[in-house]
Amino acid sequence: MSLELKNVRKNYREPNGHDLPVLDIPHFKLETGEQAALVGSSGGGKTTLLNVISGITKPDSGEVLIDDIEITRLPEAGRDRFRAERIGFVFQTFNLLPAFTAFENVLLGMSFARGKADRSHAKQLLESVGLGHRLTHKPAQLSVGEQQRVAIARSLANRPSLLLADEPTASVDPANQETILKLIGEICREHNVSLLLVTHSPEIATQFDRTIPLQEFNKVLQNV
Amino acid sequence: MNLFTIALKSIRQRLLASSLTALSVALGVALMIAVLIANTVVSKTFDLQGFGYDLIVGPQGSELDLVLNTVYRIAPPIENLPYRYYEELKENKHIGIAVPIALGDSTEQGNFPILGTTVEYFAVEYAQGKKFRTSAEWPNGKWESVIGSSVARENNWKIGDEFKMVHAGQDDHVHDEKFKIVGILEATATPNDRTVFVNLNGFYAIAGHEKPIQEAIDREVEFFGETEAEVRAYHAADLKEMEAHAGHDHSGHDHAHHHDHATPDLQKEVTAILVRMKEDPKNPTLAQSRAIEFSADLKEGFKAQAVNPIRPMQRLMTYLVGNVRLILINLTAIIIVVSGVSIFVSIYNSMSERKREIAIMRALGADRMAVFSIIITESIILCLAGAILGILLGHGLIMFASPILEARTGLSIDPFVFDPMELTIIPVMIGLAALVGFIPGLTAYRTDVAENLSS
Ligand SMILES: Nc1ncnc2c1ncn2[C@@H]1O[C@H](COP(=O)(O)OP(=O)(O)O)[C@@H](O)[C@H]1O
Ligand SMILES: [Mg+2]
């Protein structure tokens, strides 16, 4: 999988009516199978960038190409479908639906893609994140670290080619941060998934192939 | 996992609120069902379209009372007609069948109406194409009786059993004479099921059922517009016989007397006469027009009326029962709408705490239509569950209430009667569900993913 951004701009409108530029990225590229850590201070636009890549947020201009498909040209429902089938997503916290068990949360990840839910694949994924014995636990019965592992398993449910992780260890206790990051790295390598992981902690970033400071390619941050 | 399962999950997540709203729908629907069934049964019961007779002849007074008394046995008799009038009708050249009916007493056990009649009664269809059937005999003998199926069941009476009757009136006098059951009628789903039929001669032979002589003469004078001499001349033979027995003790309980001698016609009365006009195979409407003519004639002459029973019942249905039904159906419809609103409130209130969940699903690739559909599906599940529960509950309600109602009114209600309108409840409820789910669904549709993921 390759990811490429060209001339992507995103402004937010502030309550006072002024435009707040958040992203201005002339070019950004992530190679197939590459694992990159995106670092930058809080409010720098990291989350916005991930949302633009995943098609949740439409940039004001520019192109986002994933495997040479220009997703910025797709209609919203098309981007949703693309996201369902090709992109895995792990957020900072509360990734899971409280009414669903760990296993069902993984199945839910399969619900919005074409094709039938592959239950054995769901089970395998939970086993590979070390939660084979927690299938029927509800999120409330799991620790934050375990919840994040379920979220990681779920993000790979549809065999995506790109995994986006937005500060996945921010709410996890320090002792577990390491293991979870390792897990993400390993599982992506194992399934041949490209990884773009956002963090504001430079130490975490060193674990991955490439560390990219956001200000390096986001011109909004350079002008300040 | 499809949208239905997802919707079901989130309903289970809020099980108490969900069940309560579904229950409120169920109660509304149950009431609607109960009204519909009760109405179906009442309409069926009061529909005399297939009634085997053209006319009911009875004393002048309320037409409705006459029908309620004669057919349904739920109103007290207005008054009586002289037996002689029945005999005259039998001879009327336009009348095919005339069946006398004497009502007023009831059984000691179970308080079922007792109807004295002749076996001709059972020869006429009780409803379109339906004939009476007895398990054994017809009440040909003077002290013989056949009983309706409900009477047999509720009183646990069998062939060969004997019973006494209670005289209608304030004294509640129990007659000493006993009738013997010689047959049990097959169920008819008409008031006949709750009636005890006795041989008319036995009915007259019961002490106190014969009208005192002078009273009877005065009655005929008034009724036929004759002089006393004319009445006496008409009954000369009977009167002579009675004089011969004048020394006999009438006051005691000398039943042998009644067994030995038939009651003189002068002292007999009938409550009503069921009349079927003579039919002409070549002219099928002739009986109808003869009936109309006959009842028009009666209006002028005697102190009697001939009523086509269909019409007062139809009036009752359209003007009273029909309006009551309309009011009840509208009330229950309002209840259902209110319960629909409660579903709306329940789902709508949950929306703010579910924005995060919706955003997660969107991030997993659900499109706007999918999350909209999940909410609508939830609403439909709640409404449908409520509707189905309500339909069951409604029939259950009727099942529970029907014995009580039957005991009180004699109207039997089959709890499993199905009103076709029940079928429309399901699509209507789906429509209601879509309606009340629309606004919460729209909230889901519009949920901003980025904003709700970061919060
Ligand atoms: N919906 C929004 N409307 C207006 N401003 C926003 C909105 N979302 C984010 N912002 C602003 O955009 C900037 C970037 O936010 P974000 O992408 O969440 O940064 P990061 O994830 O790096 O902390 C912040 O200053 C934030 O306040
Ligand atoms: Mg962020």
Side-chain angles (χ1 to χ4, degrees):
Chain A
M1 201 271 352
S2 68
L3 163 71
E4 198 173 358
L5 273 70
K6 293 180 189 168
N7 300 319
V8 167
R9 285 166 189 267
K10 177 69 189 171
N11 293 353
Y12 283 121
R13 189 166 289 270
E14 283 182 300
N16 61 18
H18 291 296
D19 270 357
L20 173 74
V22 178
L23 297 178
D24 182 0
I25 303 173
H27 189 254
F28 175 80
K29 194 162 163 68
L30 188 70
E31 299 296 341
T32 307
E34 197 179 7
Q35 301 198 341
L38 189 64
V39 289
S41 52
S42 188
K46 303 183 297 294
T47 299
T48 305
L49 175 61
L50 291 194
N51 286 343
V52 164
I53 294 170
S54 68
I56 287 172
T57 302
K58 204 172 157 60
D60 299 333
S61 61
E63 295 166 18
V64 176
L65 293 120
I66 298 176
D67 281 340
D68 298 325
I69 297 167
E70 195 183 330
I71 65 152
T72 30
R73 275 178 180 257
L74 296 175
E76 190 192 45
R79 298 201 305 270
D80 292 334
R81 172 57 63 83
F82 188 89
R83 182 165 63 250
E85 293 175 350
R86 307 283 285 275
I87 301 175
F89 221 134
V90 179
F91 332 111
Q92 185 175 330
T93 39
F94 305 118
N95 273 286
L96 307 180
L97 265 63
F100 295 64
T101 65
F103 183 61
E104 288 164 345
N105 263 286
V106 178
L107 287 183
L108 182 75
M110 300 174 168
S111 304
F112 308 109
R114 262 175 290 231
K116 261 183 74 181
D118 183 346
R119 299 173 71 89
S120 70
H121 180 49
K123 203 162 162 242
Q124 270 170 22
L125 284 170
L126 280 167
E127 276 159 5
S128 66
V129 299
L131 289 175
H133 59 304
R134 291 278 187 274
L135 297 184
T136 56
H137 281 56
K138 293 264 179 81
Q141 299 162 317
L142 298 170
S143 72
V144 178
E146 286 172 321
Q147 287 180 29
Q148 288 306 73
R149 284 193 272 164
V150 175
I152 293 161
R154 187 183 61 191
S155 69
L156 298 175
N158 295 321
R159 306 177 200 273
S161 43
L162 172 64
L163 177 63
L164 303 173
D166 192 355
E167 309 199 40
T169 56
S171 342
V172 179
D173 57 291
N176 274 314
Q177 286 181 1
E178 180 91 22
T179 16
I180 284 184
L181 287 172
K182 273 221 174 79
L183 182 69
I184 293 177
E186 278 165 20
I187 208 167
C188 283
R189 211 161 294 129
E190 188 189 325
H191 291 88
N192 198 27
V193 176
S194 310
L195 171 67
L196 184 60
L197 182 137
V198 162
T199 175
H200 60 263
S201 137
E203 310 117 69
I204 287 173
T206 55
Q207 304 212 356
F208 299 95
D209 298 347
R210 185 151 73 113
T211 303
I212 321 164
L214 183 62
Q215 72 231 48
E216 217 170 73
F217 60 92
N218 184 5
K219 277 168 69 185
V220 170
L221 299 175
Q222 296 161 7
N223 301 341
V224 202
Chain B
M1 203 175 284
N2 52 32
L3 301 186
F4 182 81
T5 342
I6 295 170
L8 209 59
K9 280 265 165 209
S10 84
I11 286 176
R12 281 177 46 190
Q13 173 75 356
R14 293 168 295 117
L15 197 58
L16 184 67
S18 306
S19 348
L20 286 178
T21 48
L23 194 68
S24 76
V25 172
L27 290 177
V29 172
L31 283 177
M32 174 78 89
I33 295 287
V35 170
L36 285 176
I37 296 180
N39 180 257
T40 308
V41 171
V42 169
S43 329
K44 247 191 211 165
T45 310
F46 287 160
D47 178 15
L48 292 179
Q49 218 68 51
F51 192 61
Y53 301 91
D54 297 315
L55 294 170
I56 297 175
V57 179
Q60 275 184 347
S62 148
E63 290 190 353
L64 187 61
D65 271 1
L66 180 62
V67 180
L68 289 179
N69 172 244
T70 313
V71 181
Y72 297 99
R73 290 132 212 175
I74 53 180
I78 309 170
E79 221 204 295
N80 287 325
L81 298 171
Y83 189 79
R84 180 180 147 198
Y85 184 58
Y86 155 66
E87 303 228 285
E88 274 180 20
L89 285 195
K90 262 205 307 194
E91 303 307 320
N92 186 313
K93 65 179 191 307
H94 288 154
I95 288 176
I97 304 168
V99 180
I101 275 186
L103 277 159
D105 289 4
S106 56
T107 59
E108 198 178 0
Q109 185 188 337
N111 197 31
F112 292 104
I114 289 179
L115 188 151
T117 188
T118 63
V119 289
E120 287 168 285
Y121 181 87
F122 305 103
V124 176
E125 291 176 351
Y126 63 80
Q128 195 94 56
K130 290 181 178 161
K131 287 206 154 95
F132 284 108
R133 283 176 220 281
T134 172
S135 64
E137 304 285 327
W138 299 113
N140 287 300
K142 190 173 184 179
W143 298 104
E144 287 180 353
S145 160
V146 295
I147 58 177
S149 56
S150 302
V151 181
R153 192 181 61 241
E154 285 174 36
N155 276 4
N156 199 19
W157 282 357
K158 308 206 171 36
I159 290 173
D161 286 353
E162 292 186 325
F163 63 88
K164 289 181 186 176
M165 53 164 92
V166 181
H167 183 64
Q170 293 115 336
D171 57 347
D172 276 354
H173 168 69
V174 181
H175 294 297
D176 293 314
E177 292 83 351
K178 280 183 178 164
F179 283 92
K180 188 174 175 183
I181 297 163
V182 299
I184 293 164
L185 296 176
E186 268 178 25
T188 62
T190 66
N192 292 305
D193 292 349
R194 307 192 58 81
T195 303
V196 170
F197 299 91
V198 301
N199 185 295
L200 190 61
N201 291 324
F203 188 91
Y204 290 133
I206 289 167
H209 275 193
E210 74 279 32
K211 215 175 176 78
I213 294 170
Q214 192 54 48
E215 216 178 286
I217 291 171
D218 292 345
R219 171 91 178 101
E220 287 198 14
V221 165
E222 188 195 12
F223 189 87
F224 292 107
E226 295 174 338
T227 63
E228 183 166 343
E230 281 170 320
V231 173
R232 281 182 178 278
Y234 185 90
H235 292 288
D238 279 346
L239 287 166
K240 207 164 150 201
E241 173 123 346
M242 281 183 255
E243 239 124 80
H245 284 270
H248 205 102
D249 178 15
H250 268 257
S251 58
H253 289 118
D254 185 358
H255 307 128
H257 166 80
H258 299 289
H259 287 262
D260 293 345
H261 305 281
T263 313
D265 285 357
L266 175 62
Q267 290 179 286
K268 291 193 214 170
E269 287 179 306
V270 294
T271 314
I273 303 156
L274 301 172
V275 168
R276 203 176 160 120
M277 306 309 286
K278 265 207 185 102
E279 269 153 84
D280 184 347
K282 276 175 275 166
N283 186 353
T285 58
L286 187 64
Q288 200 70 33
S289 50
R290 277 176 172 166
I292 292 167
E293 211 173 296
F294 178 78
S295 70
D297 281 354
L298 263 193
K299 283 219 172 82
E300 290 157 20
F302 295 110
K303 290 191 167 1
Q305 60 175 341
V307 175
N308 174 352
I310 295 171
R311 275 185 285 140
M313 295 319 292
Q314 269 175 351
R315 276 200 295 274
L316 182 69
M317 285 307 299
T318 22
Y319 296 118
L320 192 64
V321 180
N323 284 331
V324 170
R325 168 195 148 106
L326 200 65
I327 291 167
L328 287 178
I329 286 184
N330 281 325
L331 273 179
T332 50
I334 289 169
I335 293 174
I336 289 174
V337 168
V338 168
S339 63
V341 171
S342 81
I343 286 187
F344 167 78
V345 169
S346 160
I347 295 181
Y348 191 79
N349 279 344
S350 74
M351 287 315 291
S352 56
E353 59 195 62
R354 288 167 68 183
K355 285 198 164 163
R356 170 86 189 172
E357 294 172 33
I358 288 161
I360 292 172
M361 288 195 275
R362 290 291 314 279
L364 293 177
D367 59 24
R368 291 181 191 272
M369 263 326 279
V371 292
F372 175 82
S373 309
I374 288 170
I375 303 299
I376 291 279
T377 307
E378 251 178 64
S379 171
I380 290 177
I381 291 173
L382 288 177
C383 277
L384 272 191
I388 291 166
L389 184 67
I391 289 174
L392 296 176
L393 218 63
H395 285 275
L397 201 71
I398 291 281
M399 194 154 76
F400 174 77
S402 73
I404 301 169
L405 201 71
E406 187 174 344
R408 294 228 170 156
T409 63
L411 304 179
S412 66
I413 292 186
D414 175 359
F416 302 107
V417 166
F418 191 77
D419 188 296
M421 244 183 103
E422 281 181 46
L423 278 180
T424 64
I425 286 181
I426 301 291
V428 164
M429 291 311 290
I430 292 176
L432 182 70
L435 205 67
V436 301
F438 188 79
I439 289 178
L442 216 56
T443 310
Y445 186 93
R446 288 187 181 148
T447 298
D448 186 293
V449 184
E451 187 184 316
N452 286 286
L453 280 180
S454 57
S455 59

